[in-house]
């Protein structure tokens, strides 16, 4: 067992990109699953820096904020570019993924019934930006010639978007090929095929 512990609810949510990355890097982690009624009692919440989960422990380092966790793993597992310029571009792409993830989360949790169709209709206007970067880079990754934490983050979000709209990548060949190749990486495939992944709902309200 590695030095990592992930504390989170029983959803894929904001931990899937992190877990896919750990799996691909051959790392193990311990999971503490928090029951929502327990969470509502407030004692754990009170110990979280921003009052929210996930919580990530690497030995005695305790982190909150899922993107900070991805960056930390990127630094420690050779997934943060070759130099400062690549690192800056990887940061930029991760922030772009976060913007789209936030739109997705808002639709799922606040306006699924009224906003799902409009979200799907508008999706190409967001996916085309990632398609352009991926196509221009030519390596099958967002930045440089190997996967960075931003790739794992994008990959996870795209998996969720394909569940929402099975055809959403059809006009984006670079993104479609990226998802195909990432999904076929043996360690990623093994994780995606595991109960640890499959049995968790994507979101906490049953919408997907
Ligand atoms: N920016 C933060 C990050 O990236 C956002 C964290 C966040 O929104 O880490 N945390 C939410 C849970 S993620 C939180 O702590 C959404 C999943 C909700 C699942 C709920 C229950 C499922 C039960 C099966 N929310 C609780 C809170 O704010 O009190």
């Amino acid at each position: 067992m590695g030095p990592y512990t992930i504390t989170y609810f029983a959803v894929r949510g904001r931990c899937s990109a992190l877990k896919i990355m750990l799996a691909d890097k051959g790392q193990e982690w311990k999971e503490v699953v928090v029951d929502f009624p327990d969470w509502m009692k407030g004692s754990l919440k009170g110990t979280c820096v921003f009052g929210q989960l996930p919580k990530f422990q690497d030995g005695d380092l305790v982190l909150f904020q899922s993107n900070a966790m991805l960056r930390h793993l990127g630094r420690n597992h050779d997934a943060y570019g070759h130099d400062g310029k690549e690192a800056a571009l990887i940061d930029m792409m991760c922030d772009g993924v976060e913007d789209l993830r936030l739109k997705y989360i808002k639709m799922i949790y606040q306006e699924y019934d009224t906003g799902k169709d409009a979200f799907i209709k508008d999706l190409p206007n967001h996916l085309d930006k990632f398609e352009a970067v991926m196509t221009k880079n030519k390596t099958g990754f967002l930045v440089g010639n190997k996967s960075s934490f931003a790739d794992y983050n994008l990959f996870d979000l795209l998996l969720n978007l394909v569940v929402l709209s099975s055809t959403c990548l059809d006009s984006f060949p670079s993104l479609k090929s990226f998802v195909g190749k990432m999904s076929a990486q043996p360690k990623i495939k093994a994780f995606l095929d595991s109960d640890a992944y499959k049995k968790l709902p994507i979101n906490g309200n049953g919408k997907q």
Side-chain angles (χ1 to χ4, degrees):
M1 191 61 65
Y4 304 122
T5 303
I6 296 171
T7 304
Y8 195 43
F9 304 108
V11 296
R12 293 184 202 160
R14 283 194 167 273
C15 280
S16 260
L18 197 69
K19 291 179 186 174
I20 291 168
M21 181 170 178
L22 284 170
D24 197 32
K25 297 292 179 186
Q27 300 297 306
E28 293 185 351
W29 63 93
K30 190 178 155 218
E31 290 196 28
V32 177
V33 179
V34 178
D35 186 55
F36 205 65
D38 271 355
W39 173 255
M40 291 307 288
K41 291 177 194 153
S43 55
L44 175 59
K45 187 177 175 75
T47 69
C48 299
V49 171
F50 300 101
Q52 293 195 307
L53 296 175
K55 171 182 177 179
F56 183 82
Q57 289 159 276
D58 175 358
D60 60 4
L61 174 69
V62 181
L63 287 177
F64 296 91
Q65 294 294 351
S66 55
N67 290 321
M69 298 165 196
L70 286 173
R71 288 186 162 87
H72 176 67
L73 292 177
R75 262 177 231 112
N76 290 351
H77 292 284
D78 195 22
Y80 214 144
H82 286 112
D83 56 21
K85 270 191 187 170
E86 280 193 3
L89 292 170
I90 290 166
D91 280 339
M92 177 182 82
M93 294 316 299
C94 191
D95 287 357
V97 174
E98 175 64 14
D99 284 353
L100 182 53
R101 187 183 293 278
L102 283 173
K103 286 190 171 68
Y104 168 79
I105 290 174
K106 180 167 183 253
M107 180 277 293
I108 289 284
Y109 284 98
Q110 294 174 25
E111 49 201 37
Y112 189 83
D113 294 331
T114 53
K116 180 184 165 186
D117 292 346
F119 178 89
I120 292 173
K121 196 164 170 226
D122 188 41
L123 205 43
N125 300 321
H126 301 287
L127 294 177
D128 65 354
K129 312 301 184 294
F130 295 99
E131 174 75 10
V133 171
M134 197 68 89
T135 304
K136 191 169 171 215
N137 193 39
K138 295 192 183 84
T139 62
F141 302 108
L142 287 169
V143 179
N145 61 6
K146 62 179 173 199
S147 56
S148 70
F149 65 87
D151 289 296
Y152 294 103
N153 202 13
L154 176 63
F155 173 58
D156 169 58
L157 183 58
L158 293 178
L159 290 179
N160 295 348
L161 294 175
V162 167
V163 171
L164 180 76
S165 163
S166 60
T167 57
C168 73
L169 298 183
D170 286 1
S171 24
F172 301 110
S174 297
L175 293 181
K176 202 162 184 171
S177 147
F178 168 72
V179 169
K181 282 188 188 152
M182 291 288 276
S183 304
Q185 290 296 316
K187 288 177 188 152
I188 294 182
K189 185 175 179 332
F191 177 66
L192 297 180
D193 286 342
S194 71
D195 282 352
Y197 178 80
K198 283 196 300 193
K199 285 202 172 161
L200 290 183
I202 299 176
N203 301 299
N205 62 354
K207 314 276 190 206
Q208 60 179 30

